[in-house]
Amino acid sequence: MIFEGFEIDYAHVKLIPIHSREVDSQTPESGPTTEIAPYEERYRGHVTSLNGPLLQDQESLVLDVSSLRRIIPCERVQPPRSWKSPQKHATVVLSELWYKNLFTIQDSLFHSSVAFFKLGVNYKYAFVPATTNAISSPMGLGSDSQPVPITLLGQKTYLADSMQFALEYSLRIEDGLDGVYYINTSFRGEDSDAMHLNQFYHVECELAGDFDEGISVVERYLVSVISSLLRDQSDAIEASAGTIEHLTAFLELYRRHDQNLPRTTLEEALSLPEMDQTCWKYVVPDKKAHGRTITRAGEQRLIQHFGGAVWLTEMDHLSVPFYQAYVPSTSRGKARCADLLLGNGEVLGLGERHVSSEEVRIALKQHEVPEEPYKWYLDMRDQNETRTTGWGMGMERFLAWVLGHDDIRDLVIMPRMKGTEFLV
């Protein structure tokens, strides 16, 4: 189909059938014509479907996709931030390209995650409840979120901030399991902000193995889902992020480090020249013994220093939840855990667990957490001592990085925020 004649107030549309030139011949020629139409400087009143002359200097015409995108930058799709107007949000979602793109990208992330766990590492899916009596972030030393207490059918319980404990339990149901996982909703009680949601989607995994094996699985998972997003959703991602170069840069960073992401311990990080007093703080301001934590400013400087992503390892044990294993030879001062810093900050947390019930008892006492709610957790280890490592990733935080955005409240189609009532 050829269009011509746009100069005035009409257009010619010509539909040209593709067939042999010898239409009426008993022995028509097979294959396309090789006749070349001459190049004309001026329009001669007609067009042709013949091939034109080949360009001889083809190298001057060749530009790769990323170069073209730099030369002709696309206008980014902006989030409407309609969660600020709860009564209008449901209507806005149905008309905004931001949410249409988010919907299809979420779908790809979910299915590529399931494909990795099923086909890549052969882990089993665990059906876990939304409630728990043993929250994984209790109100003790090292708590990293506030629990959400509820009364369900007259029974006091909690909405789960994580199903890590249920995954540890599930991993012991069947002998010889390599790992278990789930993708579902989690809850936390602190106010929503650019990095926190009261209800968010969590991909969590517990595997049979140590800290290093856990890191390896995470990195392979991220490479797998990022590669899938680049293959299936690059246009939608670029429409919102303005680029896909941060995704390809992540894969290149992984390759440059011999199929690993950079790592740094807390002590190594704090010794870097750029890590000034704004980059860290004491967990409890007037109690230095309770440990230090990296601030958002510090996370950003570490991300920049290490080229886009970095594992922060060996945190002070009192600054993390009790269930993280101790780093040997640190007098129970360091935890065998890690945060993956990417985009706006921490995107994923990982930790090796205590093996024996005695180690758990010591950690509970150290963190000033009562033992009674975790009796089953102790009994489980008495029945089956297994070295496991688990990790969890907030999907909205990961998608904020994918879409080059700085506020995860825009990464939820049907939000739930404390003190706010949404229609859908």
Side-chain angles (χ1 to χ4, degrees):
M1 186 176 291
I2 299 173
F3 296 82
E4 62 172 326
F6 291 100
E7 295 91 348
I8 313 175
D9 57 358
Y10 65 90
H12 286 167
V13 182
K14 298 181 178 180
L15 180 62
I16 302 174
I18 305 299
H19 55 71
S20 167
R21 288 172 297 168
E22 304 293 336
V23 176
D24 299 324
S25 170
Q26 297 298 316
T27 57
E29 294 183 11
S30 61
T33 178
T34 58
E35 183 178 345
I36 302 297
Y39 174 73
E40 303 284 354
E41 290 286 348
R42 300 184 64 182
Y43 178 57
R44 299 177 67 87
H46 66 275
V47 295
T48 178
S49 61
L50 294 174
N51 290 328
L54 292 175
L55 178 68
Q56 297 303 312
D57 183 18
Q58 295 188 42
E59 291 185 4
S60 65
L61 194 63
V62 175
L63 290 172
D64 61 29
V65 174
S66 61
S67 296
L68 285 173
R69 285 170 171 152
R70 284 193 294 268
I71 293 170
I72 311 172
C74 63
E75 184 176 348
R76 294 180 62 175
V77 175
Q78 297 295 329
R81 301 184 70 75
S82 49
W83 52 267
K84 291 185 174 182
S85 303
Q87 299 304 306
K88 298 179 180 178
H89 175 76
T91 303
V92 171
V93 165
L94 299 181
S95 61
E96 286 287 339
L97 183 56
W98 173 269
Y99 288 111
K100 295 180 188 298
N101 285 345
L102 176 61
F103 183 74
T104 188
I105 292 168
Q106 286 175 332
D107 175 73
S108 288
L109 177 57
F110 174 84
H111 285 289
S112 60
S113 296
V114 172
F116 171 81
F117 287 118
K118 182 64 177 176
L119 304 176
V121 289
N122 194 33
Y123 290 0
K124 289 197 172 181
Y125 192 90
F127 282 72
V128 296
T131 59
T132 179
N133 291 325
I135 51 177
S136 60
S137 289
M139 297 306 291
L141 300 179
S143 298
D144 55 359
S145 70
Q146 294 181 18
V148 182
I150 63 169
T151 300
L152 180 65
L153 303 176
Q155 179 182 346
K156 292 184 178 180
T157 185
Y158 295 93
L159 292 174
D161 62 318
S162 162
M163 271 298 162
Q164 168 209 318
F165 289 160
L167 291 179
E168 288 190 54
Y169 178 79
S170 299
L171 189 59
R172 291 168 166 84
I173 292 175
E174 181 180 317
D175 292 338
L177 282 182
D178 293 323
V180 291
Y181 76 102
Y182 86 103
I183 303 171
N184 214 326
T185 308
S186 290
F187 305 85
R188 54 195 307 161
E190 59 266 46
D191 292 340
S192 296
D193 59 28
M195 285 291 286
H196 301 92
L197 292 170
N198 297 119
Q199 183 170 314
F200 63 98
Y201 265 85
H202 221 166
V203 51
E204 289 195 277
C205 163
E206 194 77 18
L207 58 100
D210 64 9
F211 176 84
D212 290 319
E213 175 62 19
I215 289 225
S216 174
V217 170
V218 169
E219 292 176 347
R220 286 151 50 203
Y221 165 76
L222 290 172
V223 168
S224 178
V225 296
I226 290 170
S227 298
S228 295
L229 289 173
L230 281 170
R231 182 189 65 234
D232 301 331
Q233 298 295 337
S234 59
D235 288 343
I237 292 169
E238 186 176 23
S240 296
T243 181
I244 56 173
E245 291 187 3
H246 56 302
L247 304 184
T248 57
F250 179 95
L251 299 179
E252 181 58 29
L253 179 68
Y254 177 74
R255 295 188 190 101
R256 283 203 318 269
H257 287 80
D258 297 323
Q259 313 296 306
N260 295 284
L261 293 176
R263 298 189 200 181
T264 183
T265 67
L266 175 66
E267 300 302 333
E268 291 168 342
L270 293 177
S271 70
L272 294 173
E274 59 264 47
M275 295 292 284
D276 58 27
Q277 290 292 322
T278 67
C279 296
W280 65 277
K281 63 181 181 181
Y282 290 108
V283 175
V284 181
D286 58 344
K287 295 183 178 180
K288 297 181 180 181
H290 289 184
R292 301 152 295 174
T293 186
I294 299 294
T295 64
R296 286 282 304 279
E299 290 177 343
Q300 288 302 306
R301 293 191 187 180
L302 290 174
I303 291 169
Q304 183 177 11
H305 179 88
F306 287 97
V310 60
W311 286 105
L312 179 65
T313 69
E314 296 190 12
M315 273 75 85
D316 296 333
H317 206 284
L318 285 178
S319 73
V320 299
F322 74 88
Y323 49 75
Q324 309 289 23
Y326 296 111
V327 175
S329 305
T330 63
S331 301
R332 303 192 181 108
K334 293 291 185 181
R336 198 156 169 75
C337 65
D339 289 339
L340 180 63
L341 308 184
L342 178 71
N344 298 319
E346 179 197 344
V347 166
L348 185 150
L350 173 147
E352 184 178 318
R353 316 306 185 198
H354 300 293
V355 175
S356 71
S357 61
E358 182 58 29
E359 290 172 338
V360 176
R361 284 190 178 89
I362 291 170
L364 286 168
K365 184 176 181 180
Q366 181 185 16
H367 285 250
E368 301 176 11
V369 175
E371 184 177 312
E372 181 57 30
Y374 301 94
K375 183 179 184 303
W376 72 271
Y377 192 68
L378 298 164
D379 293 343
M380 179 177 69
R381 279 162 169 73
D382 289 335
Q383 187 173 350
N384 186 336
E385 284 194 2
T386 303
R387 185 175 303 281
T388 73
T389 296
W391 56 269
M393 183 180 81
M395 298 188 94
E396 289 84 0
R397 288 190 182 186
F398 176 72
L399 287 172
W401 170 74
V402 169
L403 297 181
H405 193 54
D406 61 359
D407 194 327
I408 62 173
R409 289 171 290 190
D410 292 311
L411 278 300
V412 188
I413 292 176
M414 290 172 275
R416 297 292 184 268
M417 299 180 188
K418 186 166 66 174
T420 305
E421 190 172 323
F422 290 89
L423 298 180
V424 178

